[in-house]
Amino acid sequence: MTTANDIFSDRVIAAAGVDPLVVLDLGARGAVDDDLLALAPAVSIIGFEPDPEEAARLAAQPKGPWRERRILPFAIGRARGLATLHVPREPAGASLLPHNAAMIEQFGHEALHRTVKKIPIEGLSLDDLESEAGICSIDYLKIDIEGAELDVLEGGANMLANAKVIKVECSFLEQRVGQPLAAEVICWLAERGFDLIDIRAIHHWRRRPLPSHPYSIGFDFPYSRGRIAQADLFFLRRHSPDAPGRDIAAATLILAAIGYIDLAMTVLRRCPSGDSWWREHGVDIESELKAASGALGRKELRAAIAAQIRGAVPLVKSWFGLLSFRAPEHRY
């Protein structure tokens, strides 16, 4: 995990803190999103979690390195009003939409796709947040709400006008009844000025108990590639060359924090107001980005080496047929 101040200099953090970055984390179960943790002293992060118990647990935690950290017990959707949270045995799969039982037959993920309880919750739209929570604009928006992504986006025209970067977990399968799939979200955001820049955390599903590629097990079908099921999609607003300096400065910093140093430089050079903003705050941002690039590169390399070492053991076990597996509920 990235820690605060290990990528960016104190000069960059201090300048960004003059007008702190605002992050909205929709679906904060477990912990607030840490994508911008390296900028934490200059970030106000507001997490939303509709499950009352989980929201209370998150709210009781210390704010950590963040400039500000708030947890609000609301579901964000298309409009204000009462809604129903459909909760399966694995709470991470909770959704405002009913679960699609066909996924159980196809993939066997019953803990994610069978509702075991329903919780009445209070819902708001993104555009309600100014009056209800004093949130006037956002810089980085993370959406991980298991199916109602377009409802959130369609209820936030005013708020989205200020967003620079958006991360949305999207599904390529109808895991919830009537949910929009990744292609619909991509098209909707493209029509409103956001370009898809990356697809990360890709999950491939196959019938249980088949393991992930490239592993094999001692079962009737030892191996298969899986079908793409869901992933995190990253979007960047298309800024015009005459966009306000603070908007470009914020976009540049967010892109750098999540690893897209080259794209950050492209945005900066296309929109000179961003460089001017940084210089007004005493920062040579190109030099700072070069230094951040080196620090981030070393961190990513260490993580990649560690992952390769950890991954060697299951690969060897797979080669010798020693991977354990859970017997399937249905033969096929």
Side-chain angles (χ1 to χ4, degrees), residues 46-171:
I46 303 100
F48 292 82
E49 175 49 55
D51 185 319
E53 291 184 7
E54 177 64 6
R57 187 191 70 81
L58 290 169
Q61 295 176 347
K63 76 180 185 72
W66 305 101
R67 182 188 184 101
E68 177 190 18
R69 176 187 176 276
R70 282 194 282 162
I71 302 295
L72 300 179
F74 302 121
I76 304 301
R78 189 187 303 269
R80 181 195 304 268
L82 294 178
T84 299
L85 186 67
H86 301 81
V87 184
R89 191 166 73 247
E90 174 49 64
S95 175
L96 294 176
L97 302 178
H99 294 86
N100 183 0
M103 294 290 102
I104 301 173
E105 178 64 26
Q106 187 171 357
F107 298 106
H109 295 291
E110 184 166 358
L112 285 175
H113 296 124
R114 190 183 302 283
T115 301
V116 296
K117 65 178 178 178
K118 299 179 181 180
I119 302 174
I121 56 175
E122 182 179 354
L124 299 172
S125 74
L126 273 180
D127 284 346
D128 288 327
L129 295 181
E130 182 172 3
S131 59
E132 295 295 325
I135 302 169
C136 301
S137 66
I138 54 177
D139 295 302
Y140 185 59
L141 173 62
K142 170 252 181 172
I143 305 174
D144 180 0
I145 57 170
E146 309 299 327
E149 296 82 18
L150 274 186
D151 282 347
V152 169
L153 295 170
E154 290 174 351
N158 295 332
M159 199 68 75
L160 288 177
N162 297 302
K164 285 73 177 177
V165 180
I166 301 175
K167 178 173 77 170
V168 190
E169 185 190 66
C170 291
S171 182

Side-chain angles (χ1 to χ4, degrees), residues 4-5 13 36-44 65-68:
N5 284 337
I13 298 293
L36 301 192
L37 190 60
L39 300 168
V43 171
S44 294
W66 305 101
R67 182 188 184 101
E68 177 190 18

Side-chain angles (χ1 to χ4, degrees), residues 9-20 42 253 277-278 281-283:
S9 72
D10 291 343
R11 290 183 299 275
V12 171
I13 298 293
V18 171
D19 190 355
L253 200 53
W277 188 94
W278 284 110
H281 292 80
V283 175

